Amino acid sequence: MKIRTLLLLANIISLLVILVFLSFAYAKMFFSNEVILILTIITLLAGILSIGVNLFITSPLLKSVKQMTREARKMANGDFNSKVIEEGPAEMKELAVNFNHMSEKIEYMFEELKKSERFKSELIANVSHDLRTPLSAIHSFVAALNDDIIEDEKTRKHYYRTILTETNRLSSLIEEVLELSELEANRIPYSPVPSSIDRMIIETLQQFERQLEGKGINITVSLEEDMPAIPLMPLHIKRVMTNYLQNAIHFSSLKSHITIRSWIEEDQFNFSIEDEGPGVPKEEQDDIFQRFYRVEKSRNKKMGGSGLGLAICKEIIELHDGKIGVQSDGVKGSTFWFIIPIR
């Protein structure tokens, strides 16, 4: 039975009870029939007016209930972008606010579920693609060595080096996938320790000393004087610095310039690496930190890595409640940066 019908029945029953008691009271008071008739008519009119006022007052309540029923039916059919108007009595407004909040959370969770499903599909496709190439190379070289068709010692050593390179590439890809999975699943606890930024930058540069010399790249390091120890996870932040510098070297031309900067501003630690490479197109700057995303779409290993490095960097910086991004005119040069609040 509908709410409106229940309210109407309640009013009618109340009116009948009142009429019965009034009739009994009128009879005991020895009123004339004419007076009793007039009082009865007045009572009926008052009762009818009461029913009308009751229906008028409860109309917004019923309207809100119908609206929520309609939107709930949409949600049941898969349309989670449902909103109700927050109007009516205070209790109904509060219910509408909670309904809208629930709708937003369900929509967000559903979108996250769809993203997760897309990620699984992309993960399988991309990892399969990136695994197939080194596995094919290893298989062909091992088969050639096993069949003893390579007699030249120089060629044989080249095959061994290639197998070692491709094996390292496979190991690196697997480690990156596992690291990204742990970061996204929040299985890595946030455990900062006071760390020296100067030392982290020096250690990062030492890793790429030969590559920098090989390409004749000039490095400028700009550090704020007397920078205090910053509370962060040093191994993870060093991972971000390493990825930034590795990309800058990879995409920089011979005898170009790279600038590393670190400074503190408004209780935030800032870090950036600027290169003179080809730049990142503006329309792709928002997507470059996504998993497996590459500006170069051919997935040529000579043009880039697995496409997971910057996604891992993003997860690490977000673990520190920080921000990450890139600035580029899309023609020449890029500045990759991150900001971490000092807590």
Side-chain angles (χ1 to χ4, degrees):
M1 190 176 292
K2 294 183 178 180
I3 295 178
R4 184 183 292 271
T5 306
L6 288 173
L7 292 173
L8 186 61
L9 284 174
N11 275 272
I12 292 174
I13 292 171
S14 299
L15 180 60
L16 291 174
V17 171
I18 291 171
L19 285 174
V20 170
F21 280 102
L22 284 177
S23 299
F24 181 75
Y26 296 158
K28 291 296 183 180
M29 292 179 183
F30 303 104
F31 289 143
S32 64
N33 292 335
E34 183 179 353
V35 172
I36 292 175
L37 180 61
I38 294 173
L39 291 175
T40 302
I41 292 172
I42 293 173
T43 303
L44 284 172
L45 292 174
I48 294 171
L49 180 61
S50 173
I51 293 173
V53 171
N54 190 289
L55 292 176
F56 176 77
I57 292 175
T58 57
S59 181
L61 172 65
L62 298 174
K63 181 181 177 182
S64 299
V65 171
K66 287 181 179 179
Q67 184 182 195
M68 289 186 191
T69 302
R70 184 171 59 251
E71 296 302 323
R73 190 176 294 114
K74 288 183 181 179
M75 292 178 64
N77 292 328
D79 181 8
F80 299 108
N81 189 22
S82 299
K83 296 290 183 294
V84 296
I85 301 174
E86 298 171 7
E87 60 181 10
E91 292 81 359
M92 294 306 300
K93 285 183 179 179
E94 184 178 356
L95 181 60
V97 169
N98 291 331
F99 182 93
N100 291 335
H101 181 62
M102 178 191 69
S103 175
E104 290 173 1
K105 291 202 71 173
I106 292 177
E107 184 179 14
Y108 172 77
M109 292 169 63
F110 187 70
E111 289 300 321
E112 287 298 308
L113 180 61
K114 290 197 293 186
K115 286 181 182 178
S116 177
E117 291 299 321
R118 285 197 300 268
F119 167 62
K120 288 179 182 178
S121 300
E122 292 172 3
L123 180 66
I124 293 171
N126 291 314
V127 170
S128 298
H129 186 283
D130 285 345
L131 288 176
R132 187 182 299 116
T133 303
L135 284 174
S136 298
I138 291 171
H139 179 269
S140 60
F141 286 131
V142 169
L145 291 169
N146 186 62
D147 294 339
D148 293 327
I149 62 175
I150 308 299
E151 297 180 356
D152 181 56
E153 186 64 24
K154 185 177 180 181
T155 304
R156 185 185 294 272
K157 287 184 177 180
H158 170 69
Y159 275 32
Y160 282 133
R161 284 196 300 270
T162 303
I163 292 171
L164 180 60
T165 300
E166 296 298 336
T167 303
N168 290 335
R169 185 180 169 210
L170 275 175
S171 177
S172 177
L173 175 61
I174 293 170
E175 287 179 2
E176 286 184 336
V177 171
L178 292 175
E179 184 178 4
L180 181 61
S181 299
E182 288 184 348
L183 285 165
E184 291 189 329
N186 296 320
R187 286 197 292 266
I188 298 179
Y190 177 65
S191 51
V193 295
S195 306
S196 170
I197 300 301
D198 299 14
R199 178 174 295 180
M200 291 173 62
I201 293 176
I202 291 172
E203 291 175 353
T204 302
L205 286 170
Q206 288 175 343
Q207 296 179 60
F208 299 96
E209 190 173 347
R210 292 183 60 185
Q211 295 182 38
L212 291 167
E213 290 178 357
K215 298 187 75 170
I217 296 174
N218 183 32
I219 288 281
T220 298
V221 180
S222 174
L223 300 176
E224 184 174 305
E225 294 184 3
D226 301 324
M227 181 178 289
I230 307 297
L232 45 77
M233 298 169 67
L235 293 178
H236 292 79
I237 295 301
K238 189 178 174 183
R239 172 85 158 85
V240 178
M241 293 180 178
T242 299
N243 188 277
Y244 274 11
L245 185 56
Q246 184 177 25
N247 287 344
I249 295 172
H250 183 81
F251 290 101
S252 292
S253 57
L254 298 176
K255 299 185 182 304
S256 59
H257 192 89
I258 293 176
T259 302
I260 300 175
R261 294 187 177 90
S262 69
W263 70 99
I264 294 177
E265 183 179 354
E266 297 180 355
D267 293 330
Q268 292 181 326
F269 168 63
N270 296 259
F271 180 87
S272 70
I273 291 185
E274 180 181 354
D275 62 60
E276 296 178 347
V280 180
K282 291 185 177 181
E283 65 273 11
E284 303 194 32
Q285 291 177 14
D286 292 335
D287 301 322
I288 199 170
F289 293 95
Q290 294 180 5
R291 318 173 191 92
F292 292 106
Y293 190 87
R294 291 177 178 175
V295 176
E296 194 277 322
K297 301 297 190 298
S298 67
R299 303 194 67 81
N300 185 344
K301 64 181 179 181
K302 295 181 179 180
M303 295 299 295
S306 64
L308 290 175
L310 290 177
I312 292 173
C313 292
K314 181 174 181 289
E315 293 292 334
I316 290 173
I317 298 302
E318 289 182 348
L319 180 63
H320 288 73
D321 275 345
K323 297 179 181 179
I324 193 170
V326 59
Q327 291 178 331
S328 175
D329 61 6
V331 179
K332 182 180 180 181
S334 302
T335 300
F336 282 84
W337 56 267
F338 66 79
I339 300 173
I340 295 176
I342 300 174
R343 293 184 285 191

